[in-house]
Amino acid sequence: MSSPSDRYARFRAEQQTPVLADFRALYDFPLDDFQVRACEAVEAGDGVLVAAPTGSGKTIVGEFAVHLALHQRRKCFYTTPIKALSNQKFNDLVRRYGPDQVGLLTGDNTVNGEAPIVVMTTEVLRNMLYAGSPTLSGLGFVVMDEVHYLADRMRGAVWEEVIIHLPESVAVVSLSATVSNAEEFGEWLGTVRGSTTTIVEEKRPVPLYQHVMVGRRLMDLFADRTGFAGPDSEVNPRLLEVSRRDDRPRTSDRQRGRGGGRRTPPRGGLPTRFEVVDKLDEGALLPAIYFIFSRVGCDAAVQQCLAMNLRLTTPQEANEIRAFVEERCAHIPDADLFVLGYHDFLEGLTRGVAAHHAGMLPTFKECVEELFAVGRCRVVFATETLALGINMPARSVVIEKLVKWNGETHADITPGEYTQLTGRAGRRGIDVEGHGVVLWSTGMNPKAVAGLASTRTYPLRSSFRPSYNMAVNLVQQVGRDTARRLLESSFAQFQADRAVVGLARELRKAEEGLEGYAEAAQCHLGDFMEYSRLRRRLGDLEATASRARRADRRDEVVRSLEELRPGDVIEVPKGKYAGLAVVIDPGNRSDRHEPRPQVVTADRHARRLSLVDFDRPVRALTRMKVPRNFNARNAQSRRELAINLSRRAGSLDPGAPSQRGRGRDRGGPPLGASEEAEISRIRAELRRHPCHSCEDRESHARWADRHGKLQREANALRRRIESRTNTVARQFDRVCDVLTSLGYLDKDDQVTDHGKRLKRIYTDMDLVAAECLRAGVWDRLSPADLAAALSVLVFENRRPDDASSPRMPKGPVREVIARTVELWADLDKLEKDNRLDFLREPDLGFAWAAQRWAEGGKLDEVLTVTDLAAGDFVRWMKQLLDLAGQVADAAGGTPLRETARGTVAALRRGVVAYSSLTD
């Protein structure tokens, strides 16, 4: 029972935050301290940033913003990064507040869009802000779920655009995964949004225990089972012993010899996926998400479990699952269900096993998600995309390998990715603990795994950069100068400026030092800094001349060595073997860039010389016979040749070159007349300078030299600072320069009619699409042909290097696609001239599929020819639908508008239409 003082404190808090007190009553569990603090800040009128681990319940804060908006009779927009997450949150809020109070906007779907609470993707809100949508009227709160997506290379800029452009009256509630620089991000939010409270929660509400499965043994990763791994946590010594035994060769290995035969599997054996699931079931560690970084691997894992007759459900549960799936898929024709592998999918689900990846039909993924959420689906074999999407917590998470394909190469997963994956383990309110499991593999280092599990440094880095569409929208709204200042307030620039702080501090110290050095170098006779500059100028000229002479002298030395022949007697001028020597081999055929003559010296050494042994051109003093069978490795041969050399030495005059070498040692070439004149002029100017006769001249010079060195360092610092400051604004200027040269902006920085079309196109290939519009490239196409033409601006092959020659569409659209590629090439050159790199090359790999689908082609035909997974096909079609809709808007009252609308109608059928509420 709480004490009187505790009850009084709670009473006071409820008096200060009455809406929060009402909100808490909606939950049958007490809110955590970080949730309470964040909600109190929201009710007090502040924006908040909540950075907390996956599964910690940070969405409670977003839900409170919804509750507060309804209480204040204001609007709240709840934004998410993906449509599937928007759908999930929409359903959650409808269950709580009713369908009249909640709407959904996901680009291609509008449900009750004028409701006081609207769930939407972040891109939809960005577009509404640029369009000045009346739906923004009365907006009081915006929840930005998964705000750490602003680091996403392709889509991250959208989050910053929204944060920057929202009206000041709107409070922003930002929900982020745990990042190490949350305070920095919160500070930026404060600069652009006003008062913002940053709340960081690092402790998971459900402890997470880390394991490594060696064979069928589940071993703890850390020695102490605290459930909260830290940088000082010790690795389980038993696991280290497994690692040492695994590294030792076995008797059979030694018997075969070090290099012979294949190595035996690691001790304990690599468990099959069925064995892993069976072990987890035995230990009451299901439900589990089993991460396999391969779509094919996920599907194969389900088949392997079915082949082993795995069943994780009761007969009653299997019947309930079957009824649920059949109802959800009833609208899909039987022919399409067969193509989509429906019956295997259903069989797996009824046994409690399923795959989950982007290649699946979205309707199938929804079935898996909902059945997993209610505990019917017990194991999901998933790619990493599940960890970044919807809310699907589990009791355990398995990571099959710590290496994944990142789009370019196979790379180790990062600590941030590891935390994101294992963060799904442990269901709040259900599990007392969660479990992360890594499968043992040959060569695994337990300490490296422990580092992944305990590292807490995941900085949030901005990926913001101004696009062409963004530029015309901003210039239209606020003008170019104001737009430039707005972009300077981006998180990208904020981070760049913070990096500059240290450089600026160094520059201030350097400038203070410069003042001190200049004062110490003062001379009563005149301006010593001027005198010092003359000295430095003279020194630079003389150094340049000296380098030129050395280079010329080196060239002379090389030429002289190249003229040597076997039997030449030379004088080696320097080095360990200085003195007379006879050339055995000129060394002109060496692989090196310079000759390396082999000689025998008077003291009987045979050595290969190099340029370091010659500080001047060499000359042959005389010649002597070298026996044809001479062997430099034979001591007797060297002795006899050295004796002959010594006999000849007495008659040699090193100062009298042989006829063949005469005239080759004339010294370095003289300086050019202009260089000599400049050096003479500065020397004369120095002698005339008043400071030249100062008794303390050299003391002053030392301070002036220090000043000069520090000045050079300060200039370098300034260049580094200039390269980092205003980087976003400079890029915006280059974007505007491109738009002006193409006529989308006029010389007065006003948006032209062409620019107004560009405003309506939000694809990453926005400028190519706008140029096609302007050039009339699409004007005479049919709806099906337009689908093919637009697809090249949307589609990107998952692995471009593996793409074979795609099947091309038929008819006149081929020429249109060729013309589109030509327009892109012209823009690509223009971008390079302006130091930009936004527009990728059009990808023709989806054009035939788009045309055939719009013509009414069957699903099995399209998927078979294109070798696309159903989920990929639907996803590209959804993006193609988005672009076709944008083209219809941008086309105005031209016939192209009706063609584009016809394209939308032709594409939205079959599996594409079934998936209208999914990503």
Side-chain angles (χ1 to χ4, degrees):
M1 184 175 178
S2 59
S3 65
S5 61
D6 290 337
R7 292 197 297 273
Y8 177 71
R10 189 166 59 250
F11 168 76
R12 287 291 304 273
E14 291 175 354
Q15 290 293 104
Q16 294 173 354
T17 54
V19 181
L20 177 57
D22 177 59
F23 177 72
R24 289 171 113 169
L26 298 174
Y27 296 88
D28 55 6
F29 57 85
L31 301 188
D32 289 342
D33 176 64
F34 84 92
Q35 295 168 327
V36 172
R37 288 186 288 122
C39 292
E40 287 175 344
V42 174
E43 189 166 354
D46 280 0
V48 295
L49 166 65
V50 181
T54 300
S56 61
K58 54 182 174 288
T59 54
I60 291 284
V61 183
E63 292 169 3
F64 175 68
V66 170
H67 189 82
L68 183 61
L70 289 172
H71 182 270
Q72 296 178 349
R73 298 182 182 278
R74 302 167 76 191
K75 289 183 178 180
C76 178
F77 289 170
Y78 198 110
T79 72
T80 72
I82 58 176
K83 295 174 185 178
L85 191 53
S86 293
N87 297 332
Q88 187 180 67
K89 184 54 64 177
F90 169 72
N91 292 327
D92 291 344
L93 294 175
V94 166
R95 281 192 290 269
R96 170 166 293 176
Y97 298 108
D100 295 339
Q101 298 291 309
V102 186
L104 175 69
L105 295 174
T106 57
D108 54 353
N109 288 284
T110 300
V111 179
N112 199 16
E114 295 301 322
I117 307 304
V118 184
V119 183
M120 62 185 67
T121 54
T122 318
E123 280 88 350
V124 170
L125 178 53
R126 186 271 312 272
N127 298 350
M128 291 170 64
L129 286 168
Y130 282 154
S133 171
T135 304
L136 296 166
S137 177
L139 182 62
F141 301 88
V142 167
V143 179
M144 304 201 76
D145 204 353
E146 309 283 354
V147 74
H148 53 272
Y149 261 74
L150 67 78
D152 184 79
R153 183 176 61 88
M154 297 301 297
R155 300 171 57 211
V158 176
W159 275 258
E160 291 190 50
E161 290 178 73
V162 168
I163 291 170
I164 292 171
H165 300 313
L166 278 171
E168 292 182 11
S169 58
V170 177
V172 176
V173 176
S174 303
L175 309 177
S176 171
T178 305
V179 291
S180 57
N181 61 334
E183 291 80 6
E184 178 189 41
F185 184 50
E187 185 181 345
W188 172 71
L189 286 170
T191 64
V192 295
R193 301 299 317 161
S195 181
T196 300
T197 301
T198 299
I199 295 174
V200 178
E201 176 63 29
E202 295 186 347
K203 186 176 179 180
R204 287 172 48 93
V206 179
L208 175 63
Y209 293 96
Q210 307 278 353
H211 311 278
V212 176
M213 184 174 282
V214 183
R216 285 182 57 89
R217 288 181 297 161
L218 198 61
M219 304 180 67
D220 291 335
L221 175 59
F222 294 103
D224 53 333
R225 296 192 83 250
T226 62
F228 299 101
D232 298 325
S233 300
E234 293 185 6
V235 177
N236 184 351
R238 292 176 55 212
L239 198 55
L240 293 173
E241 178 59 27
V242 170
S243 176
R244 284 192 290 270
R245 290 204 314 267
D246 190 37
D247 287 340
R248 288 200 297 266
R250 304 187 185 190
T251 303
S252 57
D253 293 331
R254 290 193 296 269
Q255 288 172 346
R256 282 194 300 266
R258 293 192 175 222
R262 293 178 58 189
R263 182 157 182 191
T264 56
R267 289 166 175 80
L270 187 67
T272 66
R273 290 156 179 166
F274 166 77
E275 289 175 323
V276 174
V277 173
D278 190 49
K279 181 67 175 178
L280 294 177
D281 187 30
E282 178 185 305
L285 296 178
L286 298 181
I289 299 173
Y290 193 128
F291 284 110
I292 301 172
F293 302 131
S294 158
R295 299 177 181 184
V296 173
C298 292
D299 293 334
V302 174
Q303 293 303 317
Q304 290 162 15
C305 290
L306 295 181
M308 297 299 294
N309 201 29
L310 178 70
R311 187 176 294 278
L312 302 172
T313 57
T314 66
Q316 181 181 348
E317 289 172 335
N319 290 333
E320 292 173 357
I321 291 169
R322 184 179 301 276
F324 171 82
V325 175
E326 287 177 346
E327 179 184 355
R328 290 299 301 270
C329 299
H331 56 283
I332 305 177
D334 289 342
D336 285 355
L337 288 176
F338 177 79
V339 173
L340 298 169
Y342 168 77
H343 299 290
D344 286 343
F345 167 73
L346 178 59
E347 178 65 18
L349 270 178
T350 59
R351 296 184 180 212
V353 181
H356 188 288
H357 54 73
M360 293 171 62
L361 187 72
T363 302
F364 288 7
K365 285 198 295 180
E366 287 178 14
C367 291
V368 175
E369 292 157 7
E370 295 185 38
L371 288 170
F372 192 85
V374 298
R376 291 291 185 264
C377 183
R378 308 285 288 165
V379 177
V380 171
F381 295 98
T383 57
E384 72 273 19
T385 53
L386 183 146
L388 302 175
I390 63 166
N391 181 28
M392 276 180 63
R395 180 168 296 168
S396 302
V397 164
V398 178
I399 302 178
E400 186 169 79
K401 294 180 180 179
L402 297 177
V403 174
K404 70 167 190 171
W405 177 262
N406 62 10
E408 297 178 357
T409 183
H410 286 92
D412 294 337
I413 67 172
T414 65
E417 290 168 335
Y418 184 92
T419 299
Q420 188 78 36
L421 296 170
T422 56
R424 294 284 180 185
R427 298 166 296 176
R428 184 169 187 171
I430 302 175
D431 301 315
V432 295
E433 61 190 37
H435 298 268
V437 180
V438 175
L439 301 190
W440 181 266
S441 61
T442 303
M444 179 178 285
N445 182 351
K447 292 183 178 179
V449 181
L452 285 174
S454 59
T455 302
R456 292 289 180 267
T457 54
Y458 325 120
L460 186 62
R461 296 287 178 233
S462 172
S463 61
F464 181 86
R465 61 179 187 173
S467 67
Y468 298 111
N469 170 274
M470 183 195 304
V472 291
N473 273 289
L474 285 176
V475 172
Q476 174 79 17
Q477 283 187 329
V478 298
R480 180 167 174 173
D481 291 341
T482 304
R484 196 177 193 275
R485 288 194 296 272
L486 273 173
L487 295 179
E488 286 180 326
S489 65
S490 66
F491 187 44
Q493 190 58 60
F494 182 82
Q495 288 190 307
D497 290 343
R498 282 177 70 91
V500 162
V501 169
L503 297 176
R505 189 181 302 115
E506 291 182 44
L507 180 58
R508 284 195 299 273
K509 289 173 61 177
E511 289 172 341
E512 291 170 2
L514 286 172
E515 293 177 7
Y517 290 161
E519 184 176 349
Q522 285 183 354
C523 177
H524 66 288
L525 295 178
D527 185 350
F528 199 89
M529 298 307 294
E530 179 185 65
Y531 180 75
S532 177
R533 284 191 291 273
L534 286 171
R535 282 175 56 132
R536 279 201 302 276
R537 173 63 177 155
L538 178 62
D540 290 344
L541 283 171
E542 290 178 335
T544 301
S546 176
R547 285 194 297 271
R549 282 194 295 269
R550 284 198 301 273
D552 289 333
R553 178 57 63 90
R554 181 185 183 282
D555 290 343
E556 283 198 46
V557 169
V558 169
R559 285 195 297 272
S560 70
L561 292 176
E562 289 174 342
E563 293 183 14
L564 293 177
R565 299 291 180 269
D568 279 351
V569 176
I570 61 173
E571 182 180 14
V572 181
K574 58 181 293 192
K576 184 177 180 181
Y577 303 103
L580 290 177
V582 58
V583 175
I584 303 303
D585 173 20
N588 291 331
R589 287 179 235 173
S590 168
D591 291 336
R592 298 173 180 267
H593 297 298
E594 60 200 34
R596 298 195 63 202
Q598 185 182 28
V599 300
V600 171
T601 63
D603 54 2
R604 306 177 187 178
H605 289 293
R607 287 293 181 268
R608 183 76 69 177
L609 304 179
S610 67
L611 287 185
V612 298
D613 298 302
F614 299 91
D615 58 358
R616 60 178 182 269
V618 68
R619 48 190 179 149
L621 303 175
T622 186
R623 288 182 58 79
M624 59 182 288
K625 184 175 179 59
V626 176
R628 181 171 298 180
N629 60 350
F630 177 81
N631 183 358
R633 295 183 179 182
N634 184 286
Q636 181 62 28
S637 296
R638 294 198 306 271
R639 177 174 176 275
E640 292 175 358
L641 191 63
I643 291 173
N644 290 335
L645 175 63
S646 298
R647 289 175 181 160
R648 300 291 296 271
S651 62
L652 292 178
D653 177 9
S658 66
Q659 183 65 32
R660 189 164 56 85
R662 184 173 296 129
R664 287 185 294 178
D665 191 18
R666 297 186 299 272
L671 288 175
S674 60
E675 290 90 343
E676 285 188 341
E678 181 66 6
I679 290 174
S680 298
R681 185 190 67 77
I682 293 177
R683 283 175 176 164
E685 191 172 350
L686 275 173
R687 287 191 294 270
R688 292 194 301 270
H689 198 283
C691 294
H692 190 67
S693 58
C694 178
E695 294 179 356
D696 297 323
R697 181 181 69 190
E698 294 310 310
S699 175
H700 295 330
R702 283 193 294 274
W703 289 109
D705 288 344
R706 293 173 186 171
H707 182 280
K709 180 180 178 182
L710 191 57
Q711 183 71 66
R712 290 190 292 275
E713 293 175 1
N715 290 339
L717 284 171
R718 288 191 187 94
R719 286 192 295 272
R720 290 176 65 188
I721 290 172
E722 288 169 3
S723 69
R724 296 193 180 197
T725 53
N726 301 316
T727 51
V728 175
R730 285 203 301 272
Q731 192 172 45
F732 174 71
D733 287 339
R734 292 196 285 270
V735 167
C736 288
D737 289 344
V738 168
L739 293 173
T740 301
S741 67
L742 292 172
Y744 292 94
L745 297 176
D746 62 24
K747 293 182 179 179
D748 296 324
D749 293 328
Q750 299 296 310
V751 178
T752 66
D753 289 339
H754 297 306
K756 290 174 183 176
R757 291 196 189 116
L758 176 57
K759 278 178 55 183
R760 298 176 179 273
I761 299 174
Y762 296 99
T763 175
D764 60 341
M765 296 285 278
D766 49 9
L767 194 56
V768 180
E771 283 292 274
C772 288
L773 269 172
R774 182 164 70 169
V777 172
W778 301 325
D779 286 353
R780 294 179 175 82
L781 294 178
S782 67
D785 285 351
L786 180 60
L790 294 179
S791 75
V792 305
L793 305 182
V794 169
F795 181 74
E796 287 185 82
N797 196 292
R798 289 180 66 216
R799 295 191 179 186
D801 293 340
D802 296 341
S804 57
S805 299
R807 182 170 179 175
M808 290 296 293
K810 59 182 184 297
V813 71
R814 290 187 175 211
E815 294 181 9
V816 169
I817 291 175
R819 176 63 178 141
T820 302
V821 174
E822 290 174 3
L823 287 172
W824 164 80
D826 293 339
L827 292 175
D828 183 61
K829 182 178 185 305
L830 182 60
E831 279 197 327
K832 286 181 170 56
D833 291 342
N834 286 272
R835 290 179 293 163
L836 294 172
D837 183 22
F838 288 168
L839 305 172
R840 59 173 176 79
E841 184 174 359
D843 193 321
L844 282 53
F846 198 60
W848 180 87
Q851 184 191 58
R852 190 73 191 96
W853 185 254
E855 290 174 340
K858 294 182 178 180
L859 180 64
D860 61 343
E861 175 192 10
V862 174
L863 295 186
T864 300
V865 172
T866 59
D867 197 27
L868 281 172
D872 290 332
F873 172 75
V874 171
R875 181 159 48 88
W876 291 123
M877 278 297 174
K878 302 299 282 185
Q879 293 190 34
L880 182 52
L881 279 167
D882 285 345
L883 179 56
Q886 295 166 21
V887 169
D889 289 342
T894 66
L896 180 60
R897 167 176 284 187
E898 295 308 315
T899 304
R901 288 175 175 173
T903 299
V904 171
L907 294 176
R908 187 174 281 148
R909 66 178 185 85
V911 291
V912 179
Y914 313 149
S915 312
S916 60
L917 288 179
T918 57
D919 189 10

